[in-house]
Amino acid sequence: MDTERGNRPSTGLQVAIGALLLVLDLLVIAWLVYGYGMTGWADAYDEVNAPEAPEVARQGAWILAGAAVVTGGALLALRLRVTAVVQLVALGAGALLLHTLATRP
């Protein structure tokens, strides 16, 4: 276990990076949910074809889950633990939201 203070990123830096990434995460989640909503709205006017909104939500869930693993893992590798947890929680919650939208009847 490394106890030297100079080798660890500061908590202030982690909080600043975490806040910036959280805003970006929320924008991406909002954009994907908006895309699902627009596709669902368009599906309401197309009764002949199968609805496409569940597939859009499923793709969004995979995008967010992959982003959580990649960014969370990279931040953990950089030893930015606080920021990595924020990424994993925010993007994981967004993926769960879109997965729930994809599986609802």
Coordinates of all heavy atoms in Angstrom, one line a residue:
M1 N 0.8 -1.2 0.0 CA 0.0 0.0 0.0 C 0.9 1.2 0.0 O 1.8 1.4 0.8 CB -0.9 0.0 1.2 CG -1.9 1.1 1.3 SD -2.9 0.9 2.7 CE -4.3 1.7 2.2
D2 N 0.6 2.1 -0.9 CA 1.4 3.3 -1.1 C 0.9 4.4 -0.2 O -0.2 4.8 -0.3 CB 1.4 3.8 -2.5 CG 2.4 4.9 -2.8 OD1 3.2 5.2 -2.0 OD2 2.2 5.5 -3.9
T3 N 1.7 4.9 0.7 CA 1.3 5.9 1.7 C 1.9 7.3 1.4 O 1.7 8.2 2.2 CB 1.6 5.5 3.1 OG1 3.0 5.3 3.2 CG2 0.9 4.2 3.5
E4 N 2.7 7.4 0.3 CA 3.2 8.7 0.0 C 2.1 9.6 -0.5 O 1.4 9.3 -1.4 CB 4.3 8.5 -1.0 CG 5.6 7.9 -0.5 CD 6.7 8.0 -1.6 OE1 6.7 8.9 -2.3 OE2 7.5 7.0 -1.6
R5 N 2.1 10.8 0.0 CA 1.1 11.8 -0.3 C 1.2 12.3 -1.7 O 0.3 12.5 -2.4 CB 1.1 12.9 0.7 CG 0.1 14.0 0.4 CD -1.2 13.6 0.9 NE -2.1 14.7 0.8 CZ -3.3 14.7 0.2 NH1 -3.8 13.5 -0.2 NH2 -4.1 15.7 0.1
G6 N 2.5 12.4 -2.2 CA 2.7 13.0 -3.5 C 2.3 12.1 -4.7 O 2.1 12.6 -5.8
N7 N 2.1 10.8 -4.5 CA 1.7 9.9 -5.6 C 0.2 9.8 -5.8 O -0.2 9.1 -6.7 CB 2.3 8.5 -5.3 CG 3.8 8.5 -5.5 OD1 4.4 9.4 -6.2 ND2 4.5 7.6 -4.9
R8 N -0.6 10.3 -4.9 CA -2.0 10.2 -5.0 C -2.6 11.5 -5.5 O -2.2 12.6 -5.1 CB -2.7 9.8 -3.6 CG -2.2 8.5 -3.1 CD -2.9 8.1 -1.9 NE -3.0 9.3 -1.0 CZ -3.1 9.2 0.3 NH1 -3.2 8.0 0.9 NH2 -3.2 10.3 1.1
P9 N -3.7 11.4 -6.4 CA -4.4 12.6 -6.8 C -5.1 13.2 -5.6 O -5.6 12.5 -4.7 CB -5.3 12.1 -7.9 CG -5.4 10.7 -7.8 CD -4.2 10.2 -7.0
S10 N -5.2 14.5 -5.6 CA -5.9 15.2 -4.5 C -7.4 15.0 -4.6 O -8.0 14.7 -5.6 CB -5.6 16.7 -4.5 OG -6.3 17.3 -5.6
T11 N -8.0 15.1 -3.4 CA -9.5 14.9 -3.3 C -10.2 16.0 -4.1 O -11.2 15.8 -4.8 CB -9.9 14.9 -1.9 OG1 -9.2 13.9 -1.2 CG2 -11.4 14.6 -1.8
G12 N -9.7 17.3 -4.0 CA -10.3 18.4 -4.8 C -10.3 18.1 -6.3 O -11.3 18.4 -7.0
L13 N -9.2 17.6 -6.8 CA -9.1 17.3 -8.2 C -10.1 16.2 -8.6 O -10.8 16.3 -9.6 CB -7.7 16.8 -8.6 CG -7.5 16.4 -10.0 CD1 -7.6 17.5 -11.0 CD2 -6.1 15.7 -10.1
Q14 N -10.2 15.2 -7.7 CA -11.2 14.1 -8.0 C -12.6 14.6 -8.0 O -13.4 14.2 -8.8 CB -11.0 13.0 -6.9 CG -9.8 12.2 -7.1 CD -9.8 11.0 -6.1 OE1 -10.7 10.2 -6.2 NE2 -8.7 10.9 -5.3
V15 N -12.9 15.5 -7.0 CA -14.3 16.1 -7.0 C -14.6 16.9 -8.2 O -15.7 16.9 -8.8 CB -14.5 16.9 -5.7 CG1 -15.8 17.6 -5.7 CG2 -14.5 15.9 -4.5
A16 N -13.6 17.7 -8.6 CA -13.8 18.6 -9.8 C -14.0 17.8 -11.1 O -14.9 18.0 -11.8 CB -12.6 19.5 -10.0
I17 N -13.2 16.7 -11.2 CA -13.3 15.9 -12.4 C -14.7 15.1 -12.3 O -15.4 15.0 -13.3 CB -12.1 14.9 -12.5 CG1 -10.9 15.7 -12.8 CG2 -12.4 13.9 -13.6 CD1 -9.6 14.8 -12.8
G18 N -15.0 14.7 -11.1 CA -16.3 13.9 -10.9 C -17.5 14.8 -11.2 O -18.4 14.3 -11.9
A19 N -17.4 16.1 -10.8 CA -18.6 17.0 -11.1 C -18.7 17.2 -12.6 O -19.8 17.2 -13.1 CB -18.4 18.3 -10.3
L20 N -17.6 17.5 -13.3 CA -17.6 17.7 -14.7 C -18.1 16.5 -15.5 O -19.0 16.6 -16.3 CB -16.2 18.1 -15.2 CG -16.1 18.3 -16.7 CD1 -16.9 19.5 -17.2 CD2 -14.6 18.4 -17.1
L21 N -17.6 15.3 -15.1 CA -18.1 14.1 -15.8 C -19.5 13.8 -15.4 O -20.3 13.2 -16.3 CB -17.2 12.9 -15.4 CG -15.8 13.0 -16.0 CD1 -14.9 11.8 -15.5 CD2 -15.9 12.9 -17.5
L22 N -20.0 14.1 -14.2 CA -21.4 13.9 -13.9 C -22.3 14.7 -14.8 O -23.3 14.3 -15.2 CB -21.6 14.2 -12.4 CG -23.1 14.0 -11.9 CD1 -23.5 12.6 -12.0 CD2 -23.2 14.5 -10.5
V23 N -21.9 16.0 -15.0 CA -22.8 16.8 -15.9 C -22.8 16.2 -17.3 O -23.9 16.1 -17.9 CB -22.2 18.3 -15.9 CG1 -22.8 19.1 -17.0 CG2 -22.4 18.9 -14.6
L24 N -21.6 15.8 -17.8 CA -21.6 15.1 -19.1 C -22.4 13.9 -19.1 O -23.1 13.6 -20.1 CB -20.2 14.9 -19.5 CG -19.3 16.1 -19.8 CD1 -17.9 15.7 -20.1 CD2 -19.9 16.8 -21.0
D25 N -22.4 13.1 -18.1 CA -23.2 11.8 -18.0 C -24.6 12.1 -18.0 O -25.4 11.5 -18.7 CB -22.9 11.1 -16.7 CG -21.5 10.6 -16.6 OD1 -20.8 10.5 -17.6 OD2 -21.0 10.3 -15.5
L26 N -25.1 13.1 -17.3 CA -26.5 13.5 -17.3 C -27.0 14.0 -18.6 O -28.1 13.7 -19.0 CB -26.8 14.5 -16.2 CG -26.6 14.0 -14.7 CD1 -26.8 15.1 -13.8 CD2 -27.5 12.9 -14.4
L27 N -26.1 14.7 -19.3 CA -26.5 15.2 -20.7 C -26.6 14.0 -21.6 O -27.5 13.9 -22.4 CB -25.4 16.1 -21.2 CG -25.4 17.5 -20.6 CD1 -24.2 18.3 -21.1 CD2 -26.7 18.2 -21.0
V28 N -25.7 13.0 -21.6 CA -25.8 11.8 -22.4 C -27.0 11.0 -22.1 O -27.7 10.5 -23.0 CB -24.5 11.0 -22.3 CG1 -24.6 9.6 -23.0 CG2 -23.3 11.7 -22.9
I29 N -27.3 10.8 -20.8 CA -28.5 10.1 -20.4 C -29.7 10.8 -20.9 O -30.7 10.1 -21.4 CB -28.5 9.9 -18.9 CG1 -27.4 8.9 -18.5 CG2 -29.8 9.3 -18.4 CD1 -27.1 8.9 -17.0
A30 N -29.8 12.1 -20.7 CA -31.0 12.8 -21.2 C -31.1 12.7 -22.7 O -32.3 12.6 -23.2 CB -30.8 14.3 -20.8
W31 N -30.0 12.8 -23.4 CA -30.1 12.6 -24.9 C -30.7 11.3 -25.3 O -31.5 11.2 -26.2 CB -28.8 12.9 -25.5 CG -28.8 12.8 -27.0 CD1 -28.4 11.8 -27.8 CD2 -29.4 13.8 -27.9 NE1 -28.6 12.1 -29.1 CE2 -29.3 13.3 -29.2 CE3 -30.1 15.0 -27.7 CZ2 -29.8 13.9 -30.3 CZ3 -30.6 15.6 -28.8 CH2 -30.4 15.1 -30.1
L32 N -30.2 10.2 -24.6 CA -30.6 8.9 -25.0 C -32.1 8.7 -24.6 O -32.9 8.0 -25.3 CB -29.8 7.8 -24.3 CG -28.3 7.7 -24.9 CD1 -27.5 6.9 -24.0 CD2 -28.4 7.2 -26.3
V33 N -32.5 9.2 -23.4 CA -33.9 9.1 -23.0 C -34.8 9.9 -24.0 O -35.9 9.5 -24.4 CB -34.1 9.5 -21.6 CG1 -35.6 9.6 -21.2 CG2 -33.4 8.5 -20.6
Y34 N -34.3 11.1 -24.4 CA -35.1 11.9 -25.4 C -35.2 11.1 -26.7 O -36.3 11.1 -27.3 CB -34.3 13.2 -25.6 CG -34.9 14.0 -26.7 CD1 -36.1 14.8 -26.5 CD2 -34.3 14.1 -28.0 CE1 -36.6 15.6 -27.5 CE2 -34.8 14.9 -29.0 CZ -36.0 15.6 -28.7 OH -36.5 16.4 -29.7
G35 N -34.2 10.4 -27.2 CA -34.3 9.6 -28.4 C -35.3 8.5 -28.2 O -36.0 8.2 -29.2
Y36 N -35.3 7.9 -27.1 CA -36.3 6.9 -26.8 C -37.7 7.5 -26.9 O -38.6 6.9 -27.5 CB -36.1 6.2 -25.4 CG -37.3 5.4 -25.0 CD1 -37.5 4.1 -25.5 CD2 -38.1 5.9 -24.0 CE1 -38.6 3.4 -25.0 CE2 -39.2 5.2 -23.6 CZ -39.4 3.9 -24.1 OH -40.5 3.2 -23.7
G37 N -37.9 8.6 -26.3 CA -39.2 9.3 -26.3 C -39.7 9.7 -27.6 O -40.8 9.5 -28.0
M38 N -38.8 10.2 -28.4 CA -39.1 10.6 -29.8 C -39.4 9.3 -30.7 O -40.4 9.4 -31.5 CB -38.0 11.4 -30.5 CG -37.8 12.7 -29.8 SD -39.3 13.8 -29.9 CE -39.5 14.0 -31.6
T39 N -38.7 8.3 -30.5 CA -39.0 7.0 -31.2 C -40.3 6.5 -30.8 O -41.1 6.0 -31.6 CB -37.9 6.0 -31.0 OG1 -36.6 6.6 -31.3 CG2 -38.1 4.8 -31.9
G40 N -40.6 6.5 -29.5 CA -41.9 6.1 -29.0 C -43.1 6.9 -29.5 O -44.1 6.4 -29.9
W41 N -42.8 8.2 -29.6 CA -43.9 9.1 -30.2 C -44.1 8.8 -31.7 O -45.2 8.7 -32.1 CB -43.4 10.5 -30.0 CG -44.3 11.5 -30.7 CD1 -45.5 12.0 -30.2 CD2 -44.0 12.2 -31.9 NE1 -46.0 12.9 -31.1 CE2 -45.1 13.1 -32.1 CE3 -42.9 12.2 -32.8 CZ2 -45.1 13.9 -33.2 CZ3 -43.0 13.0 -33.9 CH2 -44.1 13.9 -34.1
A42 N -43.0 8.5 -32.4 CA -43.1 8.2 -33.8 C -43.8 6.8 -34.0 O -44.6 6.6 -34.9 CB -41.8 8.1 -34.5
D43 N -43.6 5.9 -33.0 CA -44.2 4.6 -33.1 C -45.7 4.7 -32.9 O -46.5 3.9 -33.5 CB -43.7 3.6 -32.0 CG -42.3 3.1 -32.3 OD1 -41.9 3.2 -33.5 OD2 -41.6 2.6 -31.4
A44 N -46.2 5.7 -32.2 CA -47.6 5.8 -32.0 C -48.3 6.2 -33.3 O -49.5 5.9 -33.4 CB -47.9 6.9 -30.9
Y45 N -47.6 6.7 -34.2 CA -48.3 7.1 -35.5 C -48.0 6.0 -36.6 O -48.5 6.1 -37.7 CB -47.7 8.4 -36.0 CG -48.2 9.6 -35.2 CD1 -47.4 10.1 -34.2 CD2 -49.5 10.1 -35.4 CE1 -47.9 11.2 -33.5 CE2 -50.0 11.1 -34.6 CZ -49.1 11.7 -33.7 OH -49.6 12.7 -32.9
D46 N -47.3 5.0 -36.3 CA -47.0 3.9 -37.2 C -47.5 2.6 -36.6 O -46.7 1.8 -36.0 CB -45.5 3.8 -37.5 CG -45.2 2.8 -38.6 OD1 -46.1 2.4 -39.3 OD2 -44.0 2.5 -38.7
E47 N -48.8 2.3 -36.8 CA -49.4 1.1 -36.2 C -49.1 -0.1 -37.0 O -49.4 -1.2 -36.6 CB -50.8 1.3 -36.0 CG -51.1 2.5 -35.0 CD -52.6 2.7 -34.9 OE1 -53.4 2.0 -35.5 OE2 -52.9 3.7 -34.1
V48 N -48.6 0.0 -38.3 CA -48.4 -1.1 -39.1 C -47.1 -1.9 -38.8 O -47.2 -3.1 -38.7 CB -48.3 -0.7 -40.6 CG1 -48.0 -1.8 -41.5 CG2 -49.6 0.0 -41.0
N49 N -46.1 -1.2 -38.5 CA -44.8 -1.9 -38.2 C -44.6 -2.1 -36.7 O -45.3 -1.5 -35.9 CB -43.6 -1.0 -38.7 CG -43.7 -0.8 -40.2 OD1 -43.9 -1.8 -41.0 ND2 -43.4 0.4 -40.7
A50 N -43.7 -3.0 -36.4 CA -43.4 -3.2 -35.0 C -42.7 -2.0 -34.4 O -42.0 -1.2 -35.0 CB -42.4 -4.4 -34.9
P51 N -43.0 -1.7 -33.1 CA -42.4 -0.6 -32.4 C -40.9 -0.7 -32.4 O -40.3 -1.7 -32.1 CB -43.0 -0.6 -31.0 CG -43.7 -1.8 -30.9 CD -43.9 -2.5 -32.2
E52 N -40.2 0.5 -32.6 CA -38.8 0.5 -32.5 C -38.2 1.1 -31.2 O -37.0 1.0 -31.0 CB -38.3 1.4 -33.7 CG -38.6 0.8 -35.1 CD -38.1 1.8 -36.2 OE1 -37.4 2.7 -35.9 OE2 -38.6 1.5 -37.3
A53 N -39.1 1.7 -30.4 CA -38.6 2.3 -29.2 C -37.9 1.3 -28.2 O -36.9 1.7 -27.6 CB -39.8 3.0 -28.5
P54 N -38.4 0.1 -28.0 CA -37.7 -0.8 -27.1 C -36.3 -1.1 -27.6 O -35.3 -1.2 -26.8 CB -38.5 -2.1 -27.1 CG -39.9 -1.6 -27.4 CD -39.7 -0.5 -28.4
E55 N -36.1 -1.2 -28.9 CA -34.7 -1.5 -29.4 C -33.8 -0.2 -29.2 O -32.6 -0.4 -28.9 CB -34.8 -1.8 -30.9 CG -33.4 -2.1 -31.5 CD -32.7 -3.3 -30.8 OE1 -33.4 -4.2 -30.3 OE2 -31.5 -3.4 -30.8
V56 N -34.4 1.0 -29.4 CA -33.6 2.2 -29.1 C -33.2 2.2 -27.6 O -32.0 2.6 -27.3 CB -34.4 3.4 -29.5 CG1 -33.7 4.7 -29.0 CG2 -34.6 3.4 -31.0
A57 N -34.1 1.9 -26.7 CA -33.8 1.9 -25.3 C -32.7 0.8 -25.0 O -31.8 1.1 -24.2 CB -35.1 1.7 -24.5
R58 N -32.9 -0.3 -25.6 CA -31.9 -1.4 -25.4 C -30.5 -1.0 -25.8 O -29.5 -1.2 -25.1 CB -32.3 -2.7 -26.1 CG -31.7 -3.9 -25.6 CD -32.4 -5.2 -26.3 NE -33.8 -5.3 -25.8 CZ -34.8 -5.1 -26.7 NH1 -34.6 -4.9 -27.9 NH2 -36.0 -5.3 -26.2
Q59 N -30.4 -0.3 -27.0 CA -29.1 0.1 -27.5 C -28.5 1.2 -26.5 O -27.3 1.2 -26.2 CB -29.2 0.7 -28.9 CG -29.5 -0.3 -30.0 CD -29.8 0.3 -31.3 OE1 -30.0 1.5 -31.4 NE2 -29.8 -0.5 -32.3
G60 N -29.4 2.1 -26.1 CA -28.9 3.1 -25.1 C -28.4 2.5 -23.8 O -27.4 3.0 -23.3
A61 N -29.1 1.5 -23.4 CA -28.7 0.8 -22.1 C -27.3 0.2 -22.3 O -26.4 0.3 -21.4 CB -29.7 -0.2 -21.7
W62 N -27.0 -0.4 -23.5 CA -25.7 -1.0 -23.7 C -24.7 0.1 -23.9 O -23.5 -0.1 -23.4 CB -25.8 -1.9 -25.0 CG -26.3 -3.2 -24.8 CD1 -27.5 -3.8 -25.1 CD2 -25.6 -4.3 -24.0 NE1 -27.6 -5.1 -24.7 CE2 -26.5 -5.4 -24.0 CE3 -24.4 -4.4 -23.4 CZ2 -26.1 -6.6 -23.4 CZ3 -24.1 -5.6 -22.8 CH2 -24.9 -6.7 -22.8
I63 N -25.0 1.2 -24.5 CA -24.0 2.3 -24.6 C -23.6 2.8 -23.2 O -22.4 3.0 -22.9 CB -24.6 3.4 -25.4 CG1 -24.7 3.0 -26.9 CG2 -23.8 4.7 -25.3 CD1 -25.5 4.0 -27.8
L64 N -24.6 3.0 -22.4 CA -24.3 3.5 -21.0 C -23.6 2.5 -20.2 O -22.7 2.8 -19.4 CB -25.6 3.9 -20.3 CG -26.3 5.2 -20.9 CD1 -27.6 5.5 -20.2 CD2 -25.3 6.4 -20.8
A65 N -24.0 1.2 -20.3 CA -23.3 0.2 -19.5 C -21.8 0.1 -20.0 O -20.9 0.0 -19.1 CB -24.0 -1.2 -19.7
G66 N -21.6 0.1 -21.3 CA -20.2 0.1 -21.8 C -19.4 1.3 -21.4 O -18.2 1.2 -21.0
A67 N -20.0 2.4 -21.4 CA -19.4 3.7 -21.0 C -19.0 3.6 -19.5 O -18.0 4.1 -19.1 CB -20.2 4.9 -21.3
A68 N -19.9 3.0 -18.7 CA -19.6 2.9 -17.2 C -18.4 2.0 -17.0 O -17.5 2.4 -16.2 CB -20.8 2.3 -16.5
V69 N -18.3 0.9 -17.7 CA -17.2 0.0 -17.5 C -15.9 0.7 -18.0 O -14.9 0.6 -17.3 CB -17.5 -1.3 -18.3 CG1 -16.2 -2.2 -18.3 CG2 -18.6 -2.1 -17.6
V70 N -15.9 1.3 -19.2 CA -14.7 1.8 -19.8 C -14.2 3.0 -18.9 O -13.1 3.1 -18.5 CB -14.9 2.2 -21.2 CG1 -13.8 3.1 -21.8 CG2 -15.1 1.0 -22.1
T71 N -15.1 4.0 -18.7 CA -14.7 5.2 -18.0 C -14.4 4.9 -16.5 O -13.4 5.4 -15.9 CB -15.7 6.3 -18.1 OG1 -16.9 5.9 -17.5 CG2 -15.9 6.8 -19.5
G72 N -15.2 4.1 -15.9 CA -15.0 3.7 -14.5 C -13.7 2.9 -14.3 O -12.9 3.2 -13.4
G73 N -13.4 2.0 -15.2 CA -12.2 1.2 -15.2 C -11.0 2.1 -15.4 O -9.9 1.9 -14.8
A74 N -11.1 3.0 -16.4 CA -9.9 3.9 -16.7 C -9.6 4.8 -15.5 O -8.5 5.0 -15.2 CB -10.2 4.7 -17.9
L75 N -10.7 5.3 -14.9 CA -10.5 6.2 -13.7 C -9.9 5.4 -12.5 O -9.1 6.0 -11.8 CB -11.8 6.9 -13.4 CG -12.2 8.0 -14.4 CD1 -13.7 8.4 -14.2 CD2 -11.3 9.2 -14.4
L76 N -10.4 4.2 -12.4 CA -9.8 3.4 -11.3 C -8.3 3.1 -11.6 O -7.5 3.1 -10.7 CB -10.5 2.1 -11.2 CG -11.8 2.1 -10.4 CD1 -12.5 0.8 -10.4 CD2 -11.5 2.5 -8.9
A77 N -8.0 2.9 -12.9 CA -6.6 2.7 -13.2 C -5.7 3.9 -12.9 O -4.5 3.8 -12.6 CB -6.4 2.3 -14.7
L78 N -6.3 5.1 -13.1 CA -5.6 6.3 -12.8 C -5.7 6.7 -11.3 O -5.2 7.7 -10.9 CB -6.3 7.5 -13.6 CG -6.1 7.4 -15.1 CD1 -6.9 8.5 -15.8 CD2 -4.6 7.6 -15.4
R79 N -6.3 5.8 -10.5 CA -6.4 5.9 -9.1 C -7.3 7.1 -8.7 O -7.0 7.7 -7.6 CB -5.0 6.0 -8.4 CG -4.3 4.7 -8.6 CD -3.0 4.6 -7.9 NE -2.4 5.8 -7.4 CZ -1.2 5.9 -7.0 NH1 -0.4 4.9 -7.1 NH2 -0.7 7.1 -6.6
L80 N -8.3 7.4 -9.5 CA -9.3 8.4 -9.2 C -10.5 7.7 -8.7 O -11.5 7.6 -9.4 CB -9.5 9.3 -10.4 CG -8.4 10.1 -10.9 CD1 -8.7 10.7 -12.3 CD2 -8.0 11.2 -9.9
R81 N -10.5 7.2 -7.5 CA -11.5 6.3 -7.0 C -12.9 7.0 -6.8 O -13.9 6.4 -7.2 CB -11.1 5.7 -5.7 CG -9.9 4.7 -5.9 CD -9.4 4.1 -4.6 NE -8.3 3.2 -4.8 CZ -7.1 3.6 -4.8 NH1 -6.8 4.8 -4.5 NH2 -6.1 2.7 -5.0
V82 N -12.9 8.2 -6.3 CA -14.1 8.9 -6.1 C -14.8 9.2 -7.4 O -16.0 9.0 -7.6 CB -13.9 10.3 -5.3 CG1 -15.1 11.1 -5.3 CG2 -13.3 10.0 -3.9
T83 N -14.0 9.6 -8.4 CA -14.6 9.9 -9.7 C -15.1 8.6 -10.4 O -16.1 8.6 -11.1 CB -13.5 10.6 -10.6 OG1 -13.0 11.7 -9.8 CG2 -14.1 11.1 -11.9
A84 N -14.3 7.6 -10.2 CA -14.7 6.3 -10.8 C -16.1 5.8 -10.2 O -16.9 5.3 -11.0 CB -13.6 5.2 -10.6
V85 N -16.2 6.0 -9.0 CA -17.5 5.5 -8.3 C -18.7 6.4 -8.8 O -19.7 5.9 -9.1 CB -17.4 5.6 -6.8 CG1 -18.7 5.4 -6.1 CG2 -16.4 4.5 -6.3
V86 N -18.4 7.7 -9.0 CA -19.5 8.6 -9.5 C -19.8 8.1 -10.9 O -21.0 8.1 -11.3 CB -19.0 10.1 -9.5 CG1 -19.9 11.0 -10.3 CG2 -18.9 10.6 -8.1
Q87 N -18.9 7.8 -11.8 CA -19.1 7.4 -13.1 C -19.9 6.1 -13.1 O -20.9 5.9 -13.9 CB -17.8 7.2 -13.9 CG -17.1 8.4 -14.3 CD -18.0 9.1 -15.4 OE1 -18.6 10.1 -15.1 NE2 -17.9 8.6 -16.6
L88 N -19.5 5.1 -12.3 CA -20.1 3.8 -12.3 C -21.6 4.0 -11.8 O -22.5 3.3 -12.4 CB -19.4 2.9 -11.4 CG -18.0 2.4 -12.0 CD1 -17.2 1.6 -10.9 CD2 -18.2 1.5 -13.2
V89 N -21.8 4.8 -10.8 CA -23.2 4.9 -10.3 C -24.1 5.7 -11.3 O -25.2 5.3 -11.6 CB -23.2 5.7 -8.9 CG1 -24.5 6.1 -8.5 CG2 -22.5 4.8 -7.9
A90 N -23.6 6.8 -11.8 CA -24.4 7.6 -12.7 C -24.7 6.9 -14.0 O -25.9 6.8 -14.4 CB -23.7 8.9 -13.0
L91 N -23.7 6.3 -14.7 CA -24.0 5.7 -15.9 C -24.7 4.3 -15.7 O -25.5 3.9 -16.5 CB -22.6 5.4 -16.7 CG -22.0 6.7 -17.2 CD1 -20.6 6.4 -17.8 CD2 -22.9 7.4 -18.2
G92 N -24.4 3.7 -14.6 CA -25.1 2.4 -14.3 C -26.6 2.7 -14.0 O -27.5 1.9 -14.5
A93 N -26.9 3.8 -13.4 CA -28.3 4.1 -13.1 C -29.0 4.5 -14.4 O -30.2 4.1 -14.7 CB -28.4 5.3 -12.1
G94 N -28.3 5.2 -15.3 CA -28.9 5.5 -16.6 C -29.1 4.2 -17.4 O -30.2 4.1 -18.1
A95 N -28.2 3.3 -17.4 CA -28.4 2.0 -18.1 C -29.5 1.2 -17.6 O -30.3 0.7 -18.3 CB -27.1 1.2 -18.0
L96 N -29.7 1.3 -16.3 CA -30.8 0.6 -15.6 C -32.1 1.2 -16.0 O -33.1 0.5 -16.3 CB -30.7 0.6 -14.1 CG -31.7 -0.2 -13.3 CD1 -31.7 -1.7 -13.7 CD2 -31.5 0.0 -11.8
L97 N -32.2 2.6 -16.1 CA -33.4 3.3 -16.5 C -33.8 2.9 -17.9 O -34.9 2.5 -18.2 CB -33.1 4.8 -16.4 CG -34.2 5.7 -17.1 CD1 -35.5 5.6 -16.3 CD2 -33.7 7.1 -17.3
L98 N -32.8 2.9 -18.8 CA -33.1 2.6 -20.2 C -33.5 1.1 -20.4 O -34.4 0.7 -21.2 CB -32.0 2.9 -21.1 CG -31.9 4.4 -21.4 CD1 -30.6 4.8 -22.1 CD2 -33.1 4.9 -22.2
H99 N -32.8 0.2 -19.6 CA -33.2 -1.2 -19.6 C -34.6 -1.4 -19.2 O -35.4 -2.2 -19.7 CB -32.3 -2.0 -18.7 CG -32.7 -3.4 -18.6 ND1 -32.6 -4.3 -19.6 CD2 -33.2 -4.1 -17.5 CE1 -33.1 -5.5 -19.2 NE2 -33.4 -5.4 -17.9
T100 N -35.0 -0.7 -18.1 CA -36.4 -0.7 -17.6 C -37.4 -0.2 -18.7 O -38.4 -0.9 -18.9 CB -36.6 0.1 -16.4 OG1 -35.6 -0.3 -15.4 CG2 -37.9 0.0 -15.8
L101 N -37.0 0.8 -19.4 CA -37.9 1.3 -20.5 C -38.0 0.3 -21.6 O -39.0 0.2 -22.3 CB -37.4 2.7 -21.0 CG -37.5 3.8 -20.1 CD1 -36.8 5.0 -20.7 CD2 -38.9 4.1 -19.7
A102 N -36.9 -0.4 -21.9 CA -36.9 -1.4 -23.0 C -37.7 -2.6 -22.7 O -38.3 -3.2 -23.6 CB -35.5 -1.8 -23.3
T103 N -37.9 -3.0 -21.4 CA -38.6 -4.2 -21.1 C -40.0 -4.0 -20.6 O -40.7 -5.0 -20.4 CB -37.8 -5.0 -20.0 OG1 -37.7 -4.1 -18.8 CG2 -36.4 -5.4 -20.5
R104 N -40.4 -2.8 -20.5 CA -41.8 -2.6 -20.1 C -42.8 -2.9 -21.2 O -42.4 -2.7 -22.4 CB -42.0 -1.2 -19.5 CG -41.9 -0.1 -20.6 CD -42.2 1.2 -19.9 NE -43.3 1.9 -20.6 CZ -43.3 3.2 -20.7 NH1 -42.5 4.0 -20.1 NH2 -44.3 3.7 -21.4
P105 N -43.9 -3.4 -20.9 CA -44.9 -3.8 -21.9 C -45.5 -2.7 -22.7 O -45.5 -1.6 -22.5 CB -46.0 -4.5 -21.1 CG -45.8 -4.1 -19.7 CD -44.5 -3.6 -19.5

